[in-house]
Amino acid sequence: MSEALAAPMAGDVAALRADWRARKAALLAPLREAGGSSRGIRAVLRGLARETDAVLRQLWTAADMPASFALVAVGGYGRGELFPHSDVDVLLLLPDGVAVDGDAELTGRIERFIGQCWDIGLEIGSSVRTVAECVAQAAADVTVQTSLLEARAIAGDAALFDEFRQRFRGNLDPQAFFVAKTLEMRQRHNRYENTPYSLEPNCKESPGGLRDLQVILWVANAAGLGSSWEELARKGLATPLEVRQIRLNEALLSQIRARLHLLAGRREDRLVFDLQTAVAESFGYRSRSADNGRLIQRASEALMRRFYWAAKAVSQLNQVLLLNIEERLSGREVEPVPINERFAMRNGMIDVATDDLYQRHPEAILETFLLYQTTVGAQGLSARTLRALYNARQQMDASFRRDPANRATFRAILMQPQGITHAMRLMNQTSVLGRYLWVFRRIVGQMQHDLFHVYTVDQHILMVLRNVRRFFMPEHAHEYPFCSQLAGGWDKPWILYIAALFHDIAKGRGGDHSQLGGSEVRTFCRQHDIPAQDAQLVEFLVREHLTMSRVAQKEDLGDPDVIAGFARRVGDERHLTALYLLTVADIRGTSPKVWNAWKGKLLEDLYRATLRVLGGHAADPHADVEARKREALVQLGLHALPHDAHRRLWETLDVGYFMRHDANEIAWHTRHVSRHLAGLDGDGRAQGGGTLVRARLSPAGEGLQVMVYTPDQPDLFARICGYFDQAGFSILDARIHTTRDQRALDTFQVVSATLPEHNRELIHMVQSQLQETLERAGPLPTPGRGRVSRRVRSFPVAPRVSLAPDEKAQRWLLTVSASDRVGLLYSIARVLARHHINLQLAKVSTLGERVEDTFLIDGAELQQNKRQIQIETELLEALAG
């Protein structure tokens, strides 16, 4: 027992608490200092456990617990390590036959003991069980079994604890335990999307976290193979190099977790944005800026990259050691089936013929993954192969990368008809991809602070590659039918695979990553003997991979000049189709929140319109308008309207309206507006008032499409935005049109995170509430200050406003970029209304938690420089909130 803890009287809880806090603070002091090595963290955690043991023994004695009982540390505390704010899990172990229920005196002692633990400041987690109950519950629940596996006696009857250990071990089935823990690990990995590279990883539970190391020791311990890394090495399950790497990465992860606890002041195992910078600075990292003040690297980026590399190493070693333990447990020597002189198949795993294969034949490294793709029945790599790859990293040097044989093998991997996604992911997991493609190594573990990517750059690239591959797989055709249809006619999928692999490979270097990536992929294609025509297409895709998304989401697709300009840029149908497929895969690979049906429709509309131009159908607005009118009239004929019901509305509409709306929308508008003008509502009843609002499920397949027909007024757009913000809708698109008789005919595409099950009720609510809002007179309400997310607070986007005339110098293009928040669009609309700006088109693009909105506008005040500056200034103030 610590001498400092022996001094206070057993009943003097206050003195004991003060002393305990002082001892704990002294132990944790090194963690509060900036910098320092991670190597001393184990001593800190073990010291904290020892001091906790001493406190518990003193409280156990003070509670006058029966001599036949035992106090046992379980769970993480049972390992003899304790993090600053982790639970202190203990088991009050009773002899069989002792019943606590009904014994008031014994119950009182136990409650007093546990209560004093809390009074001291221990975050206690306790259970009271007999030996038989422990054995029974362990047999029924693998979580209990795991907790008891590392049980450690603290106080009380040593003989009782020994009895418990013998009976617990005697009922433990190592094989069943291994299966249960590996299944549990897979489920846990699934919860974290099977990647350690999320932007807010859990340093304990995420793949590659501390829990993955604990699983190894748990299953080894249960199998009697050792309870420490050194024991695993002595049993031949781990090499000395692997043990050193495990120790190094375990220490770093433990150091991060301990500092997280201290900075949060509570148990916090997630590297949340709010704490990343503080943790990084506690390690001594500082943000770096260039001479011109441009931020080169945040302190948090340096820490996170170090974390990701550690997690990646843990993931690799976890796989190697678990496969070794599984083979040892099975005890069966499976006869290998030779694949060639270098490799064999063993239990569905590709196995190296000799442990030193890669040292003698480095070219076999890439051959491993080609075999993984092409060998029927191959499910993965054996433990021996994974270990050999881990030990062969130094072989993959500059000469390895220049070797023509390796370049030919890598090209063959890319050109295989199947297995590309699994092969590339496995190559990245084993560090082979980054060592062969040195430019890829530079973006492994690199964070992206653009508020819409939720993966590191390397994981995003592999996600895009996966998405492209799925376009070519019949079993995924239902996800994106049009993409699958186009992919079905594409002859060289590997062109798209290379483009996916390189499209973001120059992120983080400064400058335009698309252009830098184009240079990198040009070099790659030359080195790997890619035919010139195919190489030109790959380079085009990398350089232009953002173009189609920008045009679709920010420009007026109803303008023939926009389509013609984009057609000139892509050049032909082959380039257009490839760019479309890569663009869809790229947007889908950023975040589940970024892709939506409306973006899909915009991209498909742009593709089809451009294809018509490339096919020789020169843009003819008059012919397009007449075709849309004819199709709209056919649809109107299905609704029993008088044959000339459309005339009154159509005579007030110009070519711009018909170019911006398809036939289905024109027919929908006409059907309701013609009834409105005739004095009837949609059900044939008498209609009063000057405002018409109609809503329907969006033809795009997501959200609602809302039409507003009302006398025009300067602040109309602002009032509509105000309603949608208040009602919890996000506006994805707005097409604003003013008729010749000065009425607004506006169409909105809106979505809501809380769409009710009954869409009819939602539609009725929007129609009635929005109409009431527009008919109510009065000044515009003051916008509320919407809350911003933790991520936005941690990585704010500097608000930007750009105001420039369009190519015809007839209207102005307003582009704004800012962190998203509730009420943002309404704040922008109020500024435009205040300056009598007419809005003709609004494209609202929400990229995760960043918005990039584009508005086509005109107005007298835009012709004066002084007024322009004032408008831009007010918009920046509105964006800043």
Side-chain angles (χ1 to χ4, degrees):
M1 184 184 296
S2 167
E3 292 180 6
L5 289 172
M9 295 295 293
D12 192 353
V13 174
L16 191 58
R17 178 172 59 245
D19 195 68
W20 155 241
R21 288 179 176 175
R23 302 287 294 179
K24 182 177 180 180
L27 277 168
L28 298 177
L31 297 181
R32 300 186 186 276
E33 299 171 2
S37 169
S38 297
R39 295 186 178 181
I41 184 62
R42 193 179 185 199
V44 172
L45 302 181
R46 288 193 173 279
L48 195 54
R50 283 196 303 271
E51 295 295 341
T52 303
D53 290 352
V55 172
L56 287 173
R57 289 192 191 101
Q58 192 156 345
L59 293 175
W60 181 264
T61 301
D64 194 22
M65 300 299 290
S68 60
F69 289 12
L71 180 63
V72 180
V74 295
Y77 178 41
R79 268 193 308 279
E81 296 180 349
L82 197 60
F83 284 85
H85 288 284
S86 288
D87 290 345
V88 178
D89 291 325
V90 296
L91 165 66
L92 277 69
L93 186 63
L94 283 56
D96 290 343
V98 174
V100 176
D101 293 342
D103 188 333
E105 182 184 354
L106 182 55
T107 301
R109 289 185 188 181
I110 293 173
E111 290 177 349
R112 185 164 59 253
F113 168 72
I114 294 172
Q116 288 190 339
C117 288
W118 282 105
D119 291 341
I120 289 295
L122 300 179
E123 298 178 33
I124 203 82
S126 61
S127 57
V128 181
R129 298 188 187 115
T130 64
V131 173
E133 288 170 340
C134 288
V135 172
Q137 291 196 28
D141 188 339
V142 72
T143 303
V144 174
Q145 199 171 51
T146 307
S147 177
L148 297 178
L149 184 65
E150 297 177 299
R152 179 173 56 85
I154 300 174
D157 190 344
L160 179 66
F161 177 74
D162 289 340
E163 179 192 351
F164 153 75
R165 292 289 293 167
Q166 290 175 9
R167 290 172 61 182
F168 172 78
R169 285 282 178 176
N171 284 273
L172 189 60
D173 182 342
Q175 184 71 46
F177 184 77
F178 179 90
V179 171
K181 295 313 291 184
T182 50
L183 288 175
E184 187 181 82
M185 185 177 70
R186 286 179 202 165
Q187 292 173 350
R188 174 169 51 82
H189 287 182
N190 287 336
R191 289 201 304 272
Y192 292 94
E193 299 182 351
N194 288 300
T195 176
Y197 299 101
S198 65
L199 298 189
E200 290 186 303
N202 188 307
C203 61
K204 178 184 176 185
E205 300 286 348
S206 289
L210 289 166
R211 182 68 83 203
D212 280 4
L213 293 175
Q214 291 162 5
V215 168
I216 299 170
L217 291 179
W218 284 335
V219 296
N221 189 350
L225 298 173
S227 57
S228 71
W229 304 118
E230 289 73 20
E231 286 185 81
L232 265 61
R234 286 196 295 272
K235 293 287 180 68
L237 292 165
T239 67
L241 172 63
E242 289 164 354
V243 169
R244 286 197 300 273
Q245 290 297 312
I246 286 174
R247 283 285 186 209
L248 185 67
N249 291 299
E250 182 182 39
L252 175 63
L253 296 176
S254 297
Q255 181 86 266
I256 291 173
R257 187 184 180 206
R259 290 180 184 246
L260 266 173
H261 281 207
L262 290 179
L263 289 166
R266 55 183 169 78
R267 177 175 176 173
E268 177 57 89
D269 297 331
R270 299 167 302 150
L271 269 164
V272 293
F273 294 124
D274 311 55
L275 294 173
Q276 284 177 9
T277 298
V279 174
E281 291 176 348
S282 79
F283 275 88
Y285 293 113
R286 295 293 180 267
S287 297
R288 294 188 294 115
S289 299
D291 293 338
N292 61 4
R294 183 179 65 84
L295 184 66
I296 296 175
Q297 186 183 55
R298 291 178 170 88
S300 59
E301 289 177 327
L303 170 74
M304 295 307 295
R305 188 156 197 179
R306 190 175 171 191
F307 169 85
Y308 293 134
W309 280 91
K312 184 176 184 179
V314 168
S315 293
Q316 290 177 250
L317 293 166
N318 168 272
Q319 193 174 12
V320 170
L321 268 63
L322 286 181
L323 284 171
N324 275 338
I325 293 170
E326 184 177 25
E327 288 179 2
R328 189 73 62 90
L329 277 172
S330 67
R332 298 190 307 273
E333 277 294 327
V334 178
E335 192 67 27
V337 178
I339 299 174
N340 56 32
E341 67 277 6
R342 294 175 174 176
F343 296 94
M345 182 87 85
R346 191 191 298 268
N347 275 337
M349 302 292 183
I350 292 177
D351 197 28
V352 291
T354 61
D355 292 336
D356 63 347
L357 172 64
Y358 299 136
Q359 276 73 28
R360 292 185 295 107
H361 299 286
E363 70 278 7
I365 293 174
L366 291 181
E367 183 188 356
T368 306
F369 300 93
L370 183 59
L371 287 175
Y372 175 59
Q373 285 180 289
T374 57
T375 304
V376 177
Q379 300 170 9
L381 307 183
S382 71
R384 191 160 73 144
T385 303
L386 289 169
R387 173 171 284 159
L389 285 171
Y390 190 81
N391 293 323
R393 287 172 297 169
Q394 301 307 316
Q395 300 291 325
M396 292 177 273
D397 54 12
S399 61
F400 176 87
R401 291 186 282 276
R402 289 193 298 266
D403 189 329
N406 290 332
R407 288 177 174 178
T409 304
F410 191 75
R411 184 175 64 244
I413 291 171
L414 290 170
M415 294 183 177
Q416 288 306 306
Q418 59 189 15
I420 181 69
T421 302
H422 293 305
M424 287 295 162
R425 281 184 172 170
L426 189 54
M427 288 176 75
N428 190 40
Q429 289 167 9
T430 54
S431 299
V432 172
L433 183 56
R435 287 184 176 268
Y436 178 74
L437 275 184
W438 203 249
V439 289
F440 189 89
R441 182 179 175 84
R442 295 176 65 175
I443 49 88
V444 171
Q446 181 177 314
M447 296 183 71
Q448 304 187 75
H449 298 302
D450 49 22
L451 296 182
F452 64 97
H453 284 88
V454 297
Y455 308 108
T456 54
V457 181
D458 57 320
Q459 290 302 298
H460 164 69
I461 284 174
L462 295 177
M463 188 69 72
V464 174
L465 178 64
R466 182 209 71 161
N467 292 341
V468 170
R469 171 62 187 143
R470 286 169 80 140
F471 294 153
F472 292 90
M473 300 171 69
E475 58 266 37
H476 293 288
H478 64 284
E479 295 176 344
Y480 293 87
F482 187 56
C483 291
S484 295
Q485 177 186 335
L486 294 177
W490 189 263
D491 58 337
K492 297 178 179 178
W494 55 266
I495 289 177
L496 295 172
Y497 300 158
I498 297 175
L501 201 56
F502 277 85
H503 80 286
D504 274 355
I505 210 156
K507 278 280 186 76
R509 296 190 197 175
D512 186 338
H513 78 277
S514 301
Q515 297 306 311
L516 293 172
S519 299
E520 293 285 4
V521 81
R522 183 172 65 246
T523 300
F524 172 87
C525 289
R526 185 179 66 250
Q527 293 173 343
H528 291 77
D529 297 327
I530 303 298
Q533 188 174 9
D534 296 329
Q536 181 276 330
L537 176 53
V538 173
E539 183 178 349
F540 164 82
L541 292 173
V542 174
R543 291 188 186 276
E544 301 290 339
H545 74 273
L546 298 175
T547 301
M548 192 169 192
S549 175
R550 177 184 57 78
V551 172
Q553 297 185 60
K554 294 188 177 183
E555 298 193 31
D556 184 1
L557 300 187
D559 186 343
D561 291 341
V562 170
I563 305 301
F566 181 67
R568 286 193 297 272
R569 192 154 184 170
V570 296
D572 57 42
E573 181 180 350
R574 185 169 178 78
H575 283 66
L576 172 66
T577 298
L579 185 58
Y580 173 76
L581 292 173
L582 180 61
T583 301
V584 174
D586 188 17
I587 298 176
R588 288 180 61 201
T590 55
S591 163
K593 297 180 181 179
V594 170
W595 179 265
N596 57 47
W598 181 248
K599 286 179 184 174
K601 182 180 185 302
L602 291 176
L603 288 170
E604 186 173 336
D605 288 349
L606 176 57
Y607 176 87
R608 293 184 184 279
T610 307
L611 188 61
R612 286 195 295 271
V613 173
L614 293 173
H617 295 82
D620 183 349
H622 179 73
D624 285 346
V625 165
E626 291 306 312
R628 292 183 191 191
K629 285 182 176 180
R630 287 194 298 272
E631 187 178 344
L633 287 173
V634 170
Q635 294 189 32
L636 285 168
L638 302 176
H639 292 275
L641 290 177
H643 74 281
D644 60 348
H646 63 283
R647 294 188 184 279
R648 187 171 170 186
L649 172 64
W650 286 16
E651 287 172 355
T652 68
L653 302 174
D654 59 19
V655 172
Y657 166 84
F658 290 101
M659 290 298 295
R660 287 200 185 119
H661 297 84
D662 61 30
N664 178 273
E665 291 168 334
I666 294 168
W668 180 54
H669 290 170
T670 304
R671 187 169 78 250
H672 290 292
V673 173
S674 62
R675 288 180 174 273
H676 178 77
L677 293 174
L680 301 173
D681 66 10
D683 297 319
R685 297 187 293 268
Q687 169 87 12
T691 296
L692 173 70
V693 176
R694 285 292 176 265
R696 65 175 179 174
L697 294 178
S698 172
E702 183 178 0
L704 298 181
Q705 194 171 47
V706 181
M707 175 193 72
V708 175
Y709 183 71
T710 188
D712 197 20
Q713 52 183 303
D715 60 3
L716 179 62
F717 182 66
R719 290 188 183 278
I720 295 173
C721 289
Y723 166 74
F724 283 130
D725 278 337
Q726 174 269 326
F729 287 93
S730 296
I731 301 174
L732 300 181
D733 185 78
R735 278 167 288 172
I736 311 300
H737 192 81
T738 304
T739 65
R740 294 191 179 97
D741 59 351
Q742 298 304 301
R743 293 180 71 88
L745 180 51
D746 302 342
T747 310
F748 295 85
Q749 177 78 22
V750 300
V751 293
S752 172
T754 55
L755 283 176
E757 294 181 5
H758 304 291
N759 293 310
R760 186 182 298 274
E761 295 177 4
L762 178 69
I763 290 170
H764 177 74
M765 179 193 79
V766 171
Q767 291 179 167
S768 59
Q769 290 183 356
L770 181 52
Q771 179 171 331
E772 181 183 346
T773 297
L774 297 181
E775 291 179 343
R776 188 189 309 129
L780 291 172
T782 303
R785 288 186 59 84
R787 295 179 58 190
V788 297
S789 69
R790 290 185 302 104
R791 194 171 175 191
V792 168
R793 288 197 304 271
S794 301
F795 306 113
V797 174
R800 298 186 185 277
V801 173
S802 172
L803 186 59
D806 67 1
E807 293 181 358
K808 300 178 182 177
Q810 296 175 350
R811 298 171 296 187
W812 293 77
L813 198 64
L814 170 64
T815 303
V816 301
S817 177
S819 301
D820 195 17
R821 71 170 194 274
V822 175
L824 181 64
L825 186 57
Y826 176 51
S827 298
I828 296 170
R830 288 180 83 249
V831 174
L832 300 181
R834 192 158 54 241
H835 291 276
H836 307 286
I837 302 297
N838 302 313
L839 181 67
Q840 299 187 24
L841 182 72
K843 290 209 167 183
V844 181
S845 181
T846 304
L847 305 172
E849 292 170 274
R850 188 182 90 204
V851 294
E852 290 188 357
D853 299 344
T854 305
F855 306 90
L856 199 60
I857 58 177
D858 62 26
E861 292 194 20
L862 295 173
Q863 307 306 319
Q864 306 172 40
N865 288 339
K866 184 176 180 180
R867 290 292 191 184
Q868 277 188 34
I869 293 172
Q870 184 179 350
I871 292 169
E872 289 176 313
T873 301
E874 291 181 19
L875 285 170
L876 283 171
E877 292 173 352
L879 294 176

